[in-house]
Amino acid sequence: MERAYSFHRADRIYNSYQPGGSSGFNPGSGIDPLSDADVCLRDATLMQKLGVNTIRVYNLDPTINHNDCASIFNAAGIYMILDVNSPLPNQSLNRGSPWESYNTDYLNRIFAVVEAFKSFPNTLGFFSGNEVINEQSVQEVPSYIRAVTRDLKQYISKHVDRPIPVGYSAADVREILGDTWSYLSCGLDSDPDSKIDFFGLNSYSWCGDSSFTTSGYDTLVAQFSNTTIPVFFSEYGCNKVEPRPFTEVPVLYGPQMTVLSGGLVYEYSQEDSDYGLVVLNDNNTVSLMQDYDNLQGQYNKLNVTLLESGNATATSLTPPKCDSSLITTQGFSSNFSVPSQPDGASDVINSGISKPPVGKMNPVSNTQVKQTVYKPDGSTLSGLQLNKLSNDQSNTPNSNDSGTGSSASGTASGTASGASPSATQKGAAVKVSGSFSIVVAALAVLAGVMASL
């Protein structure tokens, strides 16, 4: 059977995956978060045990081979939502002057990401932008986000044998959040492809043992109550209280939050910003943090059967027509004229990029994790093994019970081969480059999104 593509809130438990952070992205090195099969097998297995079934990957090099890693995550029942941009020059929109960065060189870059990942059945969607619209962005930026969304959707329509949704990941700037969502998700007769298919929100308002009202989740539910597209947290996981208890998880997947489709926990590996679930040590070992155990405990308590019985309907609704009356904030653009494509863009969209990267699924025969993994108490977690799922299955919490603990031995050093490094001491381990974001989220109906494209 083929994979089902759904943003239903029961179907998506996410994580952000970008080992090394954005600073670890080094095109030309032949390495990115989805390039090393051994690393991907280790991380996919740990994410499978965690209960994740979707990852967000921010920075990718479309010129290198991702076949093994994409195949491993597919075998684990884990989907991928991919950012087409990167922090490097000419690989993202300039929020200060988007008309300068919106050109055919930029479009060739983002189309190359589509080409590199279009053949993998677990490619769930693409983000056309991440936090481009904020307090510093110029008024024209929203229209350029719609232009990029249009161009991606037109390219996908002509060069991919199945629909792949395109969405946007927004900063949690409450003053303009509603207008950002309204502007990007409304229907435009003159440019229908410019409407996003899903809306992500990077939200860190629930900290520690907060509540539905204290966190402002009630306000978000009210704000998105009439959404016609899936809305979910494209990042969440406030770290003002450590270790993070993740008490928002049962609320996010509970009856009060049915308007939203879950969310992506930020992030998989411990970086300078201190949001990690695991420490990637410089001796190729991994130390699980207490955050990992806390999040796993919250996921394991979710009633997946009950969630799966839910019925998301947002994708079957007709979006409102784009109109200035949708915009409520002074200074936010109410001009819905989408910029024309730059010179040469139409030819690229129609004919395809030159020498496109080609991805293909590889058989996954090796399922044993080679690297040493330490539990938060320093003991070894041995016998880790990927649980291969059939091509139509998604991972769920409690689906991988491999791995047994043993007593810690030796002194934590973080550098000596075979030693048990500290899982929580900040700065004790050198991180390997890369970037993953793991999210556990209740997704809205991606199946509905796919059917409506």
CSV table of all heavy atoms in Angstrom, one decimal, residues 314-369:
chain,number,residue,atom,x,y,z
A,314,ALA,N,-10.9,21.0,8.2
A,314,ALA,CA,-10.5,22.3,7.7
A,314,ALA,C,-10.2,22.3,6.2
A,314,ALA,O,-10.5,23.3,5.5
A,314,ALA,CB,-9.2,22.8,8.5
A,315,THR,N,-9.6,21.2,5.7
A,315,THR,CA,-9.2,21.2,4.3
A,315,THR,C,-10.4,21.1,3.4
A,315,THR,O,-10.2,21.2,2.2
A,315,THR,CB,-8.2,20.0,4.1
A,315,THR,OG1,-8.8,18.8,4.5
A,315,THR,CG2,-6.9,20.3,4.8
A,316,SER,N,-11.6,20.8,3.8
A,316,SER,CA,-12.7,20.7,3.0
A,316,SER,C,-13.5,22.0,2.9
A,316,SER,O,-14.5,22.1,2.2
A,316,SER,CB,-13.7,19.6,3.5
A,316,SER,OG,-14.2,19.9,4.7
A,317,LEU,N,-13.1,23.0,3.6
A,317,LEU,CA,-13.8,24.3,3.7
A,317,LEU,C,-13.2,25.2,2.6
A,317,LEU,O,-12.1,25.1,2.1
A,317,LEU,CB,-13.6,24.9,5.0
A,317,LEU,CG,-14.1,24.1,6.2
A,317,LEU,CD1,-13.7,24.9,7.5
A,317,LEU,CD2,-15.6,23.9,6.1
A,318,THR,N,-14.1,26.1,2.2
A,318,THR,CA,-13.7,27.1,1.2
A,318,THR,C,-13.0,28.3,1.8
A,318,THR,O,-13.6,28.9,2.8
A,318,THR,CB,-15.0,27.6,0.4
A,318,THR,OG1,-15.6,26.5,-0.2
A,318,THR,CG2,-14.6,28.6,-0.7
A,319,PRO,N,-11.8,28.7,1.4
A,319,PRO,CA,-11.1,29.8,2.0
A,319,PRO,C,-11.9,31.1,1.7
A,319,PRO,O,-12.5,31.3,0.7
A,319,PRO,CB,-9.8,29.8,1.4
A,319,PRO,CG,-10.0,29.1,0.0
A,319,PRO,CD,-11.1,28.1,0.3
A,320,PRO,N,-11.7,32.1,2.6
A,320,PRO,CA,-12.3,33.4,2.3
A,320,PRO,C,-11.6,34.1,1.1
A,320,PRO,O,-10.4,33.8,0.9
A,320,PRO,CB,-12.1,34.2,3.6
A,320,PRO,CG,-10.9,33.5,4.2
A,320,PRO,CD,-11.0,32.1,3.9
A,321,LYS,N,-12.3,34.9,0.4
A,321,LYS,CA,-11.7,35.7,-0.7
A,321,LYS,C,-10.7,36.7,-0.1
A,321,LYS,O,-11.0,37.3,0.9
A,321,LYS,CB,-12.7,36.4,-1.5
A,321,LYS,CG,-13.7,35.4,-2.2
A,321,LYS,CD,-13.0,34.7,-3.4
A,321,LYS,CE,-14.0,33.8,-4.1
A,321,LYS,NZ,-13.3,33.1,-5.2
A,322,CYS,N,-9.6,36.9,-0.7
A,322,CYS,CA,-8.6,37.9,-0.3
A,322,CYS,C,-9.2,39.3,-0.4
A,322,CYS,O,-9.7,39.6,-1.5
A,322,CYS,CB,-7.3,37.8,-1.1
A,322,CYS,SG,-6.4,36.3,-0.8
A,323,ASP,N,-9.2,40.0,0.7
A,323,ASP,CA,-9.8,41.3,0.7
A,323,ASP,C,-9.2,42.1,1.8
A,323,ASP,O,-8.8,41.6,2.9
A,323,ASP,CB,-11.3,41.2,0.9
A,323,ASP,CG,-12.0,42.6,0.8
A,323,ASP,OD1,-12.3,43.0,-0.4
A,323,ASP,OD2,-12.3,43.2,1.8
A,324,SER,N,-9.1,43.4,1.6
A,324,SER,CA,-8.5,44.3,2.6
A,324,SER,C,-9.2,44.2,4.0
A,324,SER,O,-8.5,44.5,5.0
A,324,SER,CB,-8.5,45.7,2.1
A,324,SER,OG,-9.8,46.2,1.9
A,325,SER,N,-10.4,43.8,4.0
A,325,SER,CA,-11.1,43.7,5.3
A,325,SER,C,-10.6,42.6,6.2
A,325,SER,O,-10.9,42.6,7.4
A,325,SER,CB,-12.6,43.4,5.0
A,325,SER,OG,-12.8,42.2,4.3
A,326,LEU,N,-9.8,41.7,5.6
A,326,LEU,CA,-9.2,40.6,6.4
A,326,LEU,C,-8.1,41.1,7.3
A,326,LEU,O,-7.7,40.5,8.3
A,326,LEU,CB,-8.7,39.5,5.5
A,326,LEU,CG,-9.7,38.7,4.7
A,326,LEU,CD1,-9.0,37.7,3.7
A,326,LEU,CD2,-10.7,38.0,5.5
A,327,ILE,N,-7.5,42.2,6.9
A,327,ILE,CA,-6.3,42.8,7.6
A,327,ILE,C,-6.7,43.7,8.7
A,327,ILE,O,-7.5,44.7,8.4
A,327,ILE,CB,-5.4,43.4,6.6
A,327,ILE,CG1,-5.0,42.5,5.5
A,327,ILE,CG2,-4.1,43.9,7.3
A,327,ILE,CD1,-4.4,41.1,5.9
A,328,THR,N,-6.2,43.5,9.9
A,328,THR,CA,-6.7,44.3,11.0
A,328,THR,C,-5.6,45.2,11.6
A,328,THR,O,-5.9,46.1,12.4
A,328,THR,CB,-7.2,43.4,12.2
A,328,THR,OG1,-6.2,42.6,12.6
A,328,THR,CG2,-8.4,42.6,11.7
A,329,THR,N,-4.4,45.0,11.2
A,329,THR,CA,-3.2,45.8,11.8
A,329,THR,C,-2.8,46.9,10.9
A,329,THR,O,-2.5,46.6,9.7
A,329,THR,CB,-2.1,44.8,12.1
A,329,THR,OG1,-2.5,43.7,13.0
A,329,THR,CG2,-0.9,45.6,12.9
A,330,GLN,N,-2.7,48.1,11.4
A,330,GLN,CA,-2.1,49.2,10.7
A,330,GLN,C,-0.7,48.9,10.3
A,330,GLN,O,0.1,48.5,11.1
A,330,GLN,CB,-2.3,50.5,11.5
A,330,GLN,CG,-1.9,51.7,10.7
A,330,GLN,CD,-2.1,53.0,11.5
A,330,GLN,OE1,-2.4,52.9,12.6
A,330,GLN,NE2,-1.9,54.1,10.8
A,331,GLY,N,-0.4,49.1,9.0
A,331,GLY,CA,1.0,48.9,8.5
A,331,GLY,C,1.2,47.5,7.9
A,331,GLY,O,2.2,47.3,7.2
A,332,PHE,N,0.3,46.6,8.1
A,332,PHE,CA,0.4,45.3,7.5
A,332,PHE,C,-0.3,45.4,6.1
A,332,PHE,O,-1.3,46.0,5.9
A,332,PHE,CB,-0.3,44.2,8.3
A,332,PHE,CG,0.1,42.8,7.9
A,332,PHE,CD1,1.1,42.1,8.6
A,332,PHE,CD2,-0.5,42.1,6.8
A,332,PHE,CE1,1.5,40.8,8.3
A,332,PHE,CE2,-0.1,40.9,6.4
A,332,PHE,CZ,0.9,40.2,7.2
A,333,SER,N,0.4,44.8,5.1
A,333,SER,CA,-0.1,45.0,3.7
A,333,SER,C,-1.5,44.4,3.5
A,333,SER,O,-1.8,43.3,4.0
A,333,SER,CB,0.9,44.2,2.8
A,333,SER,OG,0.4,44.3,1.5
A,334,SER,N,-2.3,45.2,2.8
A,334,SER,CA,-3.6,44.8,2.4
A,334,SER,C,-3.7,44.7,0.9
A,334,SER,O,-4.8,44.7,0.3
A,334,SER,CB,-4.7,45.7,3.0
A,334,SER,OG,-4.5,47.0,2.6
A,335,ASN,N,-2.5,44.8,0.3
A,335,ASN,CA,-2.4,44.7,-1.2
A,335,ASN,C,-2.1,43.3,-1.6
A,335,ASN,O,-1.1,42.7,-1.3
A,335,ASN,CB,-1.2,45.6,-1.7
A,335,ASN,CG,-1.1,45.6,-3.2
A,335,ASN,OD1,-1.8,44.9,-3.9
A,335,ASN,ND2,-0.1,46.4,-3.7
A,336,PHE,N,-3.1,42.7,-2.2
A,336,PHE,CA,-3.0,41.2,-2.6
A,336,PHE,C,-2.5,41.0,-4.0
A,336,PHE,O,-2.6,39.9,-4.5
A,336,PHE,CB,-4.3,40.6,-2.4
A,336,PHE,CG,-4.7,40.4,-0.9
A,336,PHE,CD1,-5.5,41.4,-0.3
A,336,PHE,CD2,-4.3,39.4,-0.2
A,336,PHE,CE1,-5.9,41.3,1.0
A,336,PHE,CE2,-4.6,39.3,1.2
A,336,PHE,CZ,-5.4,40.2,1.8
A,337,SER,N,-1.8,42.0,-4.6
A,337,SER,CA,-1.2,41.8,-5.9
A,337,SER,C,0.1,41.0,-5.7
A,337,SER,O,1.0,41.4,-5.0
A,337,SER,CB,-0.9,43.1,-6.5
A,337,SER,OG,-2.0,43.9,-6.8
A,338,VAL,N,0.2,39.8,-6.3
A,338,VAL,CA,1.3,39.0,-6.2
A,338,VAL,C,2.4,39.3,-7.2
A,338,VAL,O,2.0,39.5,-8.4
A,338,VAL,CB,0.9,37.5,-6.3
A,338,VAL,CG1,2.1,36.6,-6.2
A,338,VAL,CG2,-0.1,37.1,-5.3
A,339,PRO,N,3.6,39.5,-6.8
A,339,PRO,CA,4.7,39.9,-7.8
A,339,PRO,C,4.8,38.9,-9.0
A,339,PRO,O,4.6,37.7,-8.8
A,339,PRO,CB,6.0,39.9,-7.0
A,339,PRO,CG,5.5,40.1,-5.6
A,339,PRO,CD,4.2,39.4,-5.5
A,340,SER,N,5.0,39.4,-10.2
A,340,SER,CA,5.2,38.6,-11.3
A,340,SER,C,6.5,37.8,-11.2
A,340,SER,O,7.4,38.2,-10.5
A,340,SER,CB,5.3,39.5,-12.6
A,340,SER,OG,4.1,40.2,-12.8
A,341,GLN,N,6.5,36.7,-11.9
A,341,GLN,CA,7.7,35.8,-11.8
A,341,GLN,C,8.9,36.6,-12.5
A,341,GLN,O,8.7,37.3,-13.5
A,341,GLN,CB,7.5,34.5,-12.5
A,341,GLN,CG,6.5,33.6,-11.7
A,341,GLN,CD,6.0,32.4,-12.5
A,341,GLN,OE1,6.1,32.4,-13.7
A,341,GLN,NE2,5.5,31.4,-11.8
A,342,PRO,N,10.1,36.4,-12.0
A,342,PRO,CA,11.3,37.1,-12.6
A,342,PRO,C,11.6,36.5,-14.0
A,342,PRO,O,11.1,35.4,-14.3
A,342,PRO,CB,12.4,36.8,-11.6
A,342,PRO,CG,12.0,35.6,-10.9
A,342,PRO,CD,10.5,35.6,-10.8
A,343,ASP,N,12.4,37.2,-14.7
A,343,ASP,CA,12.7,36.8,-16.1
A,343,ASP,C,13.3,35.4,-16.1
A,343,ASP,O,14.2,35.1,-15.3
A,343,ASP,CB,13.7,37.8,-16.7
A,343,ASP,CG,13.1,39.1,-17.0
A,343,ASP,OD1,11.8,39.2,-17.0
A,343,ASP,OD2,13.9,40.1,-17.2
A,344,GLY,N,12.8,34.5,-16.9
A,344,GLY,CA,13.4,33.2,-17.0
A,344,GLY,C,12.7,32.2,-16.1
A,344,GLY,O,12.9,31.0,-16.3
A,345,ALA,N,11.9,32.6,-15.2
A,345,ALA,CA,11.3,31.7,-14.2
A,345,ALA,C,10.3,30.8,-14.8
A,345,ALA,O,10.2,29.6,-14.5
A,345,ALA,CB,10.7,32.5,-13.1
A,346,SER,N,9.5,31.4,-15.8
A,346,SER,CA,8.5,30.5,-16.4
A,346,SER,C,9.1,29.4,-17.2
A,346,SER,O,8.6,28.3,-17.2
A,346,SER,CB,7.6,31.4,-17.3
A,346,SER,OG,6.7,30.7,-18.0
A,347,ASP,N,10.2,29.6,-17.8
A,347,ASP,CA,10.9,28.6,-18.6
A,347,ASP,C,11.4,27.5,-17.7
A,347,ASP,O,11.3,26.3,-18.0
A,347,ASP,CB,12.1,29.2,-19.4
A,347,ASP,CG,11.6,30.0,-20.5
A,347,ASP,OD1,10.5,29.9,-21.0
A,347,ASP,OD2,12.4,30.9,-21.0
A,348,VAL,N,11.9,27.9,-16.5
A,348,VAL,CA,12.4,26.9,-15.5
A,348,VAL,C,11.3,26.1,-15.0
A,348,VAL,O,11.4,24.8,-14.8
A,348,VAL,CB,13.2,27.6,-14.4
A,348,VAL,CG1,13.6,26.6,-13.3
A,348,VAL,CG2,14.4,28.3,-14.9
A,349,ILE,N,10.2,26.7,-14.7
A,349,ILE,CA,9.0,26.0,-14.2
A,349,ILE,C,8.5,25.0,-15.2
A,349,ILE,O,8.1,23.9,-14.9
A,349,ILE,CB,7.9,27.0,-13.7
A,349,ILE,CG1,8.4,27.7,-12.5
A,349,ILE,CG2,6.6,26.3,-13.4
A,349,ILE,CD1,7.5,28.9,-12.0
A,350,ASN,N,8.4,25.4,-16.4
A,350,ASN,CA,7.9,24.6,-17.5
A,350,ASN,C,8.8,23.4,-17.9
A,350,ASN,O,8.4,22.3,-18.1
A,350,ASN,CB,7.5,25.4,-18.7
A,350,ASN,CG,6.3,26.3,-18.5
A,350,ASN,OD1,5.3,25.9,-17.8
A,350,ASN,ND2,6.3,27.5,-19.0
A,351,SER,N,10.1,23.7,-18.0
A,351,SER,CA,11.0,22.7,-18.5
A,351,SER,C,11.8,22.0,-17.4
A,351,SER,O,12.4,20.9,-17.6
A,351,SER,CB,12.1,23.4,-19.4
A,351,SER,OG,11.4,24.1,-20.5
A,352,GLY,N,11.8,22.5,-16.2
A,352,GLY,CA,12.5,21.9,-15.1
A,352,GLY,C,13.9,22.5,-15.0
A,352,GLY,O,14.5,23.1,-15.9
A,353,ILE,N,14.5,22.4,-13.8
A,353,ILE,CA,15.9,22.9,-13.6
A,353,ILE,C,16.9,22.0,-14.4
A,353,ILE,O,16.6,20.9,-14.7
A,353,ILE,CB,16.3,23.0,-12.1
A,353,ILE,CG1,16.3,21.5,-11.5
A,353,ILE,CG2,15.3,23.9,-11.4
A,353,ILE,CD1,16.9,21.5,-10.1
A,354,SER,N,18.1,22.6,-14.7
A,354,SER,CA,19.1,21.9,-15.4
A,354,SER,C,19.8,20.9,-14.4
A,354,SER,O,20.1,21.2,-13.3
A,354,SER,CB,20.2,22.9,-15.8
A,354,SER,OG,21.3,22.2,-16.5
A,355,LYS,N,20.0,19.7,-14.9
A,355,LYS,CA,20.6,18.6,-14.1
A,355,LYS,C,20.0,18.4,-12.7
A,355,LYS,O,20.7,18.6,-11.7
A,355,LYS,CB,22.1,18.8,-14.0
A,355,LYS,CG,22.8,18.9,-15.4
A,355,LYS,CD,24.3,19.2,-15.2
A,355,LYS,CE,25.0,19.2,-16.6
A,355,LYS,NZ,26.5,19.5,-16.5
A,356,PRO,N,18.7,18.1,-12.7
A,356,PRO,CA,18.1,18.0,-11.3
A,356,PRO,C,18.6,16.8,-10.6
A,356,PRO,O,18.9,15.8,-11.1
A,356,PRO,CB,16.6,17.8,-11.7
A,356,PRO,CG,16.6,17.2,-13.0
A,356,PRO,CD,17.8,17.8,-13.8
A,357,PRO,N,18.8,16.9,-9.2
A,357,PRO,CA,19.1,15.8,-8.4
A,357,PRO,C,18.0,14.8,-8.4
A,357,PRO,O,16.8,15.1,-8.5
A,357,PRO,CB,19.3,16.4,-7.0
A,357,PRO,CG,18.5,17.6,-7.0
A,357,PRO,CD,18.5,18.2,-8.4
A,358,VAL,N,18.4,13.5,-8.4
A,358,VAL,CA,17.4,12.4,-8.5
A,358,VAL,C,17.5,11.6,-7.2
A,358,VAL,O,18.5,11.0,-6.9
A,358,VAL,CB,17.6,11.5,-9.7
A,358,VAL,CG1,16.5,10.4,-9.7
A,358,VAL,CG2,17.5,12.4,-11.0
A,359,GLY,N,16.4,11.5,-6.5
A,359,GLY,CA,16.4,10.7,-5.3
A,359,GLY,C,15.6,9.4,-5.5
A,359,GLY,O,14.7,9.3,-6.4
A,360,LYS,N,16.0,8.3,-4.8
A,360,LYS,CA,15.3,7.0,-5.0
A,360,LYS,C,15.4,6.3,-3.7
A,360,LYS,O,16.3,6.4,-2.9
A,360,LYS,CB,15.9,6.2,-6.1
A,360,LYS,CG,17.3,5.7,-5.8
A,360,LYS,CD,17.8,4.8,-6.9
A,360,LYS,CE,19.2,4.2,-6.5
A,360,LYS,NZ,19.6,3.2,-7.5
A,361,MET,N,14.4,5.5,-3.4
A,361,MET,CA,14.3,4.7,-2.2
A,361,MET,C,15.3,3.5,-2.3
A,361,MET,O,15.5,2.9,-3.3
A,361,MET,CB,12.9,4.1,-2.0
A,361,MET,CG,11.9,5.2,-1.8
A,361,MET,SD,12.2,6.2,-0.3
A,361,MET,CE,11.9,4.9,0.9
A,362,ASN,N,16.0,3.3,-1.2
A,362,ASN,CA,16.9,2.1,-1.1
A,362,ASN,C,16.4,1.1,-0.1
A,362,ASN,O,15.7,1.6,0.9
A,362,ASN,CB,18.3,2.6,-0.6
A,362,ASN,CG,19.1,3.3,-1.7
A,362,ASN,OD1,18.8,3.2,-2.9
A,362,ASN,ND2,20.1,4.1,-1.4
A,363,PRO,N,16.6,-0.1,-0.2
A,363,PRO,CA,16.2,-1.1,0.8
A,363,PRO,C,16.9,-0.9,2.1
A,363,PRO,O,18.1,-0.5,2.1
A,363,PRO,CB,16.6,-2.5,0.2
A,363,PRO,CG,17.6,-2.2,-0.9
A,363,PRO,CD,17.3,-0.8,-1.4
A,364,VAL,N,16.3,-1.0,3.2
A,364,VAL,CA,16.9,-0.9,4.5
A,364,VAL,C,17.0,-2.3,5.1
A,364,VAL,O,16.0,-2.9,5.6
A,364,VAL,CB,16.0,0.0,5.4
A,364,VAL,CG1,16.6,0.1,6.8
A,364,VAL,CG2,15.8,1.4,4.8
A,365,SER,N,18.2,-2.8,5.1
A,365,SER,CA,18.5,-4.1,5.6
A,365,SER,C,19.1,-4.1,7.0
A,365,SER,O,18.9,-5.0,7.9
A,365,SER,CB,19.4,-4.9,4.7
A,365,SER,OG,20.6,-4.2,4.4
A,366,ASN,N,19.9,-3.1,7.3
A,366,ASN,CA,20.6,-2.9,8.6
A,366,ASN,C,19.7,-2.1,9.5
A,366,ASN,O,19.3,-1.0,9.3
A,366,ASN,CB,21.9,-2.2,8.5
A,366,ASN,CG,22.6,-2.0,9.8
A,366,ASN,OD1,22.5,-2.8,10.7
A,366,ASN,ND2,23.3,-0.9,9.9
A,367,THR,N,19.3,-2.7,10.7
A,367,THR,CA,18.4,-2.1,11.6
A,367,THR,C,19.1,-1.9,13.0
A,367,THR,O,18.5,-1.3,13.9
A,367,THR,CB,17.1,-2.8,11.8
A,367,THR,OG1,17.4,-4.2,12.2
A,367,THR,CG2,16.3,-2.9,10.4
A,368,GLN,N,20.3,-2.4,13.2
A,368,GLN,CA,20.9,-2.4,14.5
A,368,GLN,C,21.7,-1.1,14.6
A,368,GLN,O,22.5,-0.7,13.8
A,368,GLN,CB,21.9,-3.5,14.7
A,368,GLN,CG,21.3,-4.9,14.6
A,368,GLN,CD,20.5,-5.3,15.8
A,368,GLN,OE1,20.7,-4.7,16.9
A,368,GLN,NE2,19.6,-6.2,15.7
A,369,VAL,N,21.5,-0.3,15.7
A,369,VAL,CA,22.2,0.9,16.0
A,369,VAL,C,23.6,0.6,16.5
A,369,VAL,O,23.8,-0.2,17.4
A,369,VAL,CB,21.5,1.7,17.1
A,369,VAL,CG1,22.3,3.0,17.5
A,369,VAL,CG2,20.1,2.2,16.5
